[in-house]
Amino acid sequence: MTGAASASFTADDYEARMERAARQAADAGLAGLLVAPGPDLVWLTGYTPTAVTERLTLLVLAPGREPVLVVPTLEAPDAERALGASALTLRDWTDGKDPYAATAALLDADGRFGISDNAWAMHLLGLQRTLPGTSYASLTEALPMLRAVKDAAELELLAAAGAAADAAFEEIRSVAFAGRRESDVAADLAGLLRRFGHSQVDFTIVASGPNGANPHHEVGDRVIERGDMVVLDFGGLRDGYGSDTSRTVHVGEPTDEERRVHDLVREAQEAGFRAVRPGAACQEVDRAARAVIEDARYGEYFIHRTGHGIGVTTHEPPYMIEGEEQPLVPGMCFSVEPGVYLPGRFGVRIEDIVTVTGDGGRRLNNTAREMVIVD
């Protein structure tokens, strides 16, 4: 999901993004890009339809041509008010007309196009039926780094979102955990994110005791007990840009093993962060964090990638995972979040959002990574 486009950006910013996207499409051997409502459309134009329906809305970007946004006539007034509207041409279509014929007139009849991952199948099939000589590739596959490198204004918004999530964590540390349900603490977290400026809360994972061994535990009615390790993972959108942080707290005094595992994950997270530098492959961040956990003989309990990109969505390329050789570039932003998950017992995850700088990395989350004791 996406939030509203931020007023930090101007029509010139959106025009530059559309021009860059068209150039990248040409470099990838594509005839153009077809962008449906969703995060890519927001990032490229600042436009979010009030409702996504079966009516076709599609941005057409092609090298050397003016961008065109195909929209239903009844939604054209809203599209005209988008911050990036002055940098494109609107082409509206009315009910009863064929939107695929209107779009086909803008496309090379035998071209290969990148298309948004979240485009509706009925729209893709309609285009293929109208232009049987065309072919398509998902945008994530064709241009995975399209939104990956953030400019200064985007970095500022991501830093503000991270600071808001940090403020939420500092507040949640002081609430009662023992004797309350996971869902109660999750509701507290969601309220705190909103209080500190989030317009959208994407997730508030509160995984206590044995539930912490499930990295994507669905919050439930389990009552948190003294002696529980509790994984907190929460984030959403603030001014259209994402936050995502994880900390693992303990209700009362932990055991020696619980401290040891927590310290191990903290060491792995630090190793992953220190591997961040321009030119390093994404997989090197994963390897650095994973090596620490494997050396301690907990490797089989680290069961997910080390990180994912973040921007106008809370999960996007690049991914910090073995086999991803994409080099890191200043301005990329992603999570570094190793974890250890002991089935039936407890889990630990520590996560910061990190941005690549000219000579290394900078954390956008700065709350304590040491073991935090809660009541």
Side-chain angles (χ1 to χ4, degrees), residues 34-335:
L34 308 178
V35 185
D40 293 314
L41 187 64
V42 173
W43 184 78
L44 286 163
T45 69
Y47 176 51
T48 303
T50 53
V52 179
T53 71
E54 74 284 355
R55 293 184 174 95
L56 177 71
T57 294
L58 203 65
L59 174 67
V60 179
L61 296 177
R65 300 182 189 176
E66 185 175 23
V68 177
L69 182 62
V70 178
V71 294
T73 299
L74 74 170
E75 295 175 12
D78 288 339
E80 289 171 349
R81 288 192 289 270
L83 289 172
S86 63
L88 52 78
T89 296
L90 286 178
R91 180 167 297 186
D92 64 314
W93 62 275
T94 57
D95 285 352
K97 301 294 184 181
D98 184 350
Y100 308 115
T103 306
L106 305 170
L107 307 181
D108 293 340
D110 57 355
R112 180 170 177 78
F113 297 88
I115 189 166
S116 300
D117 295 28
N118 55 335
W120 286 23
M122 64 179 285
H123 296 321
L124 175 57
L125 293 170
L127 289 171
Q128 288 180 317
R129 185 170 57 249
T130 304
L131 291 176
T134 54
S135 60
Y136 302 86
S138 75
L139 211 51
T140 293
E141 174 189 335
L143 295 179
M145 296 297 112
L146 178 63
R147 303 194 317 260
V149 179
K150 276 63 179 179
D151 62 25
E154 290 181 292
L155 291 174
E156 184 178 335
L157 289 167
L158 283 161
D166 283 357
F169 177 71
E170 294 295 355
E171 291 278 339
I172 205 72
R173 291 176 56 165
S174 63
V175 309
F177 278 69
R180 300 178 70 214
R181 296 173 301 178
E182 292 175 341
S183 55
D184 295 329
V185 178
D188 288 343
L189 270 173
L192 288 167
L193 286 171
R194 292 191 177 95
R195 190 212 299 178
F196 291 113
H198 281 63
S199 60
Q200 178 175 307
V201 177
D202 284 351
F203 48 88
T204 51
I205 294 173
V206 178
S208 62
N211 289 340
N214 176 0
H216 281 174
H217 169 64
E218 289 286 339
V219 167
D221 291 331
R222 183 183 186 274
V223 175
I224 301 170
E225 303 173 355
R226 293 195 67 79
D228 278 349
M229 195 85 88
V230 184
V231 179
L232 305 173
D233 184 350
F234 51 97
L237 297 183
R238 182 183 186 277
D239 291 332
Y241 278 76
S243 69
D244 185 1
T245 188
S246 300
R247 293 292 186 264
T248 304
V249 303
H250 199 278
V251 187
E253 286 299 316
T255 66
D256 289 345
E257 182 190 22
E258 287 170 333
R259 281 196 179 276
R260 185 170 65 252
V261 173
H262 191 281
D263 287 345
L264 173 65
V265 174
R266 180 164 58 89
E267 181 184 350
Q269 206 269 349
E270 176 68 18
F273 169 70
R274 292 190 178 280
V276 176
R277 62 187 185 281
C282 290
Q283 66 182 3
E284 292 182 38
V285 178
D286 182 83
R287 288 174 176 177
R290 198 169 301 276
V292 172
I293 294 173
E294 289 179 343
D295 287 349
R297 300 190 177 183
Y298 281 88
E300 67 182 291
Y301 304 114
F302 180 11
I303 55 177
H304 56 72
R305 65 196 176 202
T306 293
H308 58 81
I310 190 168
V312 293
T313 58
T314 49
H315 280 221
E316 62 186 45
Y319 299 105
M320 307 301 112
I321 189 170
E322 181 66 31
E324 179 52 78
E325 298 180 351
Q326 168 67 40
L328 299 179
V329 176
M332 282 184 176
C333 292
F334 48 84
S335 65

Side-chain angles (χ1 to χ4, degrees), residues 167 305 346 350:
R305 65 196 176 202
F346 65 88
I350 300 172

